Amino acid sequence: GAEYPFIVDTGSTVTVYDETLRPRLGQPVTTHIAGMGAGKARLQMFRAPEARLGKLELPTGGLVGCADLSAVRDVVRSLSGQEVYGILGMDFLKDYVLQIDFEEKRLAIIEPGASPRRWGQGFPIEYASGGIPVLAATLSNDVQARFLVDTGDAGTGDIEAELFERLRAQGSLVVTGLVQCATGSGYRETPEGRLDRLTLGPYRHEGLKLFQSHWNGLGLGYLSHYIVTFDFPNGILYLKRPSGPSPTSYRS
């Protein structure tokens, strides 16, 4: 009957419980390499316990991970004062429509079949290994790249190391310093760069600050410009301006 805050993370392939909840999970069944926060982690896997998200029952037939999420918990605590005890991953989210309204501070999980009439501009979703959603975007100098869409990333996003260096050499990205990032697999220090331009459909963002990483990703710093609707069953992501004028170009 206890209630625990979890991070809703489209960048995590599996649902993960913090090690503080390990006594509630029984005996480990196996180990698994999971994608978590611009990295990978070896997790002990357990039979999924009975759990609910609102009125939704989390599936109990599969497996969930358990990991030391102290790095993530420290960051969330410093930003919001809240303690988090786990990560709700794509193994659960993939069956639903997930809508995030940052202006209203509201997250809705919608049963499949709802009408998308007012959800905004739609973009086809591809899926990376483990079912993480991916969008195609255009960068400076018409460079094409695929970006993971990661609601577990509190920053603007990431650029894969080889592409990061190529854009820097072209003059399309300027390195602004080194930063320390907290991920589900621990802390990492990485260069940060300011990108000239990123275009997704009709929307263009200039001056985005992105971290060098193992993959390309868009985090909450990008997504928070919009009302974001992930229609996972139909493979479409919708972006909509929340209110007021609807610009298509943004400067960070």
Side-chain angles (χ1 to χ4, degrees):
E3 185 174 278
Y4 298 96
F6 272 47
I7 294 170
V8 178
D9 188 357
T10 59
S12 179
T13 59
V14 299
T15 294
V16 181
Y17 287 70
D18 183 67
E19 64 176 9
T20 56
L21 298 179
R22 180 170 178 160
R24 297 174 178 259
L25 299 178
Q27 295 300 312
V29 175
T30 185
T31 59
H32 175 68
I33 302 296
M36 296 175 62
K40 293 186 177 181
R42 180 180 293 276
L43 304 179
Q44 285 193 315
M45 304 297 291
F46 298 78
R47 296 292 178 194
E50 292 185 7
R52 303 171 62 90
L53 178 66
K55 296 180 180 180
L56 300 176
E57 296 280 355
L58 272 65
T60 56
L63 300 177
V64 296
C66 184
D68 179 3
L69 300 178
S70 56
V72 173
R73 295 178 68 195
D74 288 347
V75 171
V76 174
R77 188 188 306 113
S78 69
L79 292 175
S80 69
Q82 288 199 61
E83 293 287 342
V84 294
Y85 291 88
I87 293 170
L88 195 62
M90 284 300 297
D91 53 346
F92 170 75
L93 299 173
K94 63 181 175 60
D95 294 326
Y96 295 96
V97 178
L98 174 69
Q99 187 173 82
I100 308 173
D101 186 332
F102 295 92
E103 191 173 82
E104 296 293 329
K105 298 182 179 179
R106 178 179 59 84
L107 182 147
I109 294 183
I110 304 167
E111 293 285 356
S115 171
R117 287 196 313 272
R118 300 180 181 178
W119 292 349
Q121 176 74 40
F123 301 90
I125 297 174
E126 303 174 47
Y127 290 96
S129 175
I132 297 176
V134 175
L135 294 179
T138 303
L139 311 184
S140 307
N141 297 324
D142 293 325
V143 174
Q144 305 295 311
R146 298 165 71 246
F147 281 77
L148 304 180
V149 186
D150 185 1
T151 60
D153 181 354
T156 304
D158 304 277
I159 294 186
E160 185 271 330
E162 183 179 345
L163 179 57
F164 189 98
E165 288 302 315
R166 176 152 57 98
L167 293 167
R168 183 191 60 77
Q170 293 173 353
S172 302
L173 181 145
V174 177
V175 177
T176 57
L178 287 174
V179 294
Q180 189 175 59
C181 304
T183 76
S185 51
Y187 287 101
R188 64 184 176 92
E189 188 173 71
T190 187
E192 179 185 64
R194 186 180 290 275
L195 181 67
D196 278 358
R197 184 172 67 255
L198 184 148
T199 303
L200 187 62
Y203 300 115
R204 185 174 74 175
H205 290 253
E206 299 176 353
L208 291 175
K209 284 188 175 181
L210 301 168
F211 301 145
Q212 185 188 93
S213 185
H214 307 295
W215 56 24
N216 301 322
L218 296 175
L220 297 181
Y222 179 90
L223 298 172
S224 60
H225 288 88
Y226 306 97
I227 297 172
V228 181
T229 305
F230 297 89
D231 184 348
F232 290 123
N234 290 308
I236 303 173
L237 181 141
Y238 296 88
L239 298 178
K240 180 182 178 181
R241 287 295 297 160
S243 62
S246 299
T248 57
S249 183
Y250 307 87
R251 179 173 292 277
S252 296

